[in-house]
Amino acid sequence: MNRLAPAEDADPDAPRRYHLPRHAHVVVYDERDRELITVYDCGAAQKPPSAQLLGNLVRVKADAETRHTPTGYTVSLREPAVLHRQGADHYVVEPR
């Protein structure tokens, strides 16, 4: 189901990197051993998610607002970013 655009500079041997648009929303459901990370291109658009991943969002380095919810948290980006996979099941959001 992953429809995120891969980063152009992604090395095939390196961990995967995906572009996130400026107004992307990352919804993290953390009631499990591994979090369910759901990425939406825009929080205002009534569109299905661009990707769903199992893993842990360990850090957000990009300019974003984080809101906690009863089941996890939502990260609303304020700048274009890259979702970067670090090792097995760990993800970081970095500015582009």
Side-chain angles (χ1 to χ4, degrees), residues 13-76:
D13 297 325
R16 298 294 231 148
R17 296 165 41 98
Y18 298 100
H19 285 295
L20 297 176
R22 179 179 181 197
H23 297 290
H25 284 245
V26 181
V27 178
V28 180
Y29 176 74
D30 68 356
E31 297 290 316
R32 315 168 85 174
D33 292 336
R34 291 189 300 170
E35 298 171 338
L36 174 62
I37 303 168
T38 305
V39 179
Y40 295 89
D41 287 340
C42 179
Q46 298 287 319
K47 294 171 50 174
S50 299
Q52 284 190 316
L53 311 161
L54 283 177
N56 295 300
L57 184 61
V58 294
R59 189 171 30 251
V60 177
K61 296 179 180 178
D63 185 20
E65 176 187 350
T66 302
R67 289 182 306 268
H68 291 276
T69 66
T71 58
Y73 57 96
T74 302
V75 177
S76 301

